[in-house]
Amino acid sequence: MVEVYYYVPQDKVENSVECGLKLSQWYEKEVQIESENKRCFCALLNPKDDMDKYKSKDYKCLKLELYPEYCFVADKSLYEIGLHNDDVMKLYIDSVMPVEEYTFGLYRLPECLITSTVIPEQISLLDKRLDSPILFNSSEELYINNVIEDFKQEYNDLNDRLLFGFLKGRATKGELEMIEKDGNSFVAFIDKKTDKAFTVRKSMW
């Protein structure tokens, strides 16, 4: 069984737990899956992937235990861009895969596409204190960390590159002063409020 998470409005919780989630009632979109357009509603692989609802008093998180043949994972970040770009929407369709093939951290905003009705026996309320431990803070954080680690294998000075980009952005906004000198291997950024200095190697250029 696959364990995923789905938020419902507070006033829908009791009915959802007792009667289940009917696909005809809860489906959010139609997605091309295995060459066929299928209705589906979208769950999360981690309840913290939607922090607004995770913290909200207006929603409750349901834990769903589903048969994997009715679950597919896709990259939601591509879907949102693809609503305004056909080429990116094709990338979204190409991102759809059976849940059993998905590796955590592969997509920035993974969504679990559920293509069947969920019966009451497969639904329980998530207990944030006592329920199954979540192995990572959020899918987005795991994705970013994975991308950075991958690039570190190719670029030894990646941390300097990232730090320079961030500090230069602050300098552009006038928050920092950027100081450089020919022949020196470092660039200095001075925080105008605290006079704290940050140095970055020129080798990253």
Side-chain angles (χ1 to χ4, degrees):
M1 301 290 279
V2 176
E3 197 172 282
V4 297
Y5 306 91
Y6 189 71
Y7 286 95
V8 296
Q10 185 75 47
D11 60 351
K12 302 289 186 182
V13 172
E14 184 176 352
N15 182 263
S16 298
V17 173
E18 293 181 357
C19 303
L21 299 170
K22 295 181 180 178
L23 182 62
S24 59
Q25 177 183 353
W26 288 91
Y27 85 93
E28 300 168 43
K29 56 191 175 186
E30 289 191 8
V31 178
Q32 185 177 324
I33 300 175
E34 296 178 338
S35 302
E36 179 183 351
N37 287 337
K38 296 183 179 181
R39 289 182 174 182
C40 55
F41 60 96
C42 307
L44 303 173
L45 302 182
N46 185 321
K48 292 185 178 180
D49 283 352
D50 190 331
M51 286 302 295
D52 290 338
K53 290 181 180 177
Y54 185 82
K55 296 178 179 178
S56 175
K57 296 180 180 179
D58 298 326
Y59 288 86
K60 284 290 186 181
C61 186
L62 305 181
K63 183 173 70 172
L64 312 180
E65 296 184 46
L66 309 174
Y67 293 105
E69 55 262 38
Y70 301 110
C71 302
F72 300 83
V73 178
D75 190 343
K76 183 180 178 181
S77 61
L78 292 177
Y79 180 82
E80 293 177 351
I81 300 171
L83 291 173
H84 308 285
N85 186 297
D86 291 341
D87 291 335
V88 178
M89 184 57 75
K90 184 179 183 304
L91 293 176
Y92 169 77
I93 297 301
D94 291 342
S95 80
V96 177
M97 66 176 66
V99 67
E100 292 177 307
E101 296 180 11
Y102 181 75
T103 302
F104 287 113
L106 182 62
Y107 297 153
R108 181 168 190 145
L109 293 177
E111 59 180 358
C112 182
L113 306 175
I114 301 171
T115 60
S116 70
T117 290
V118 182
I119 60 177
E121 290 77 12
Q122 296 173 303
I123 301 174
S124 61
L125 276 174
L126 176 68
D127 188 324
K128 297 177 182 177
R129 298 165 302 173
L130 303 176
D131 227 301
S132 305
I134 305 300
L135 300 179
F136 51 94
N137 192 46
S138 73
S139 295
E140 191 164 15
E141 181 179 302
L142 182 61
Y143 169 84
I144 292 172
N145 288 339
N146 285 349
V147 170
I148 289 174
E149 288 302 316
D150 285 344
F151 277 117
K152 278 184 178 180
Q153 304 301 315
E154 185 174 354
Y155 301 99
N156 294 329
D157 60 347
L158 181 65
N159 286 341
D160 267 330
R161 290 172 182 250
L162 295 175
L163 185 59
F164 175 78
F166 172 71
L167 294 176
K168 188 175 182 181
R170 291 187 61 195
T172 300
K173 292 180 180 179
E175 299 174 2
L176 304 177
E177 180 183 359
M178 179 177 168
I179 302 172
E180 59 180 319
K181 184 178 180 180
D182 291 341
N184 195 313
S185 61
F186 291 99
V187 176
F189 293 88
I190 312 298
D191 191 313
K192 294 182 178 181
K193 291 183 178 179
T194 65
D195 287 331
K196 185 174 181 179
F198 305 92
T199 57
V200 183
R201 287 187 180 277
K202 283 185 179 180
S203 61
M204 66 180 189
W205 300 341

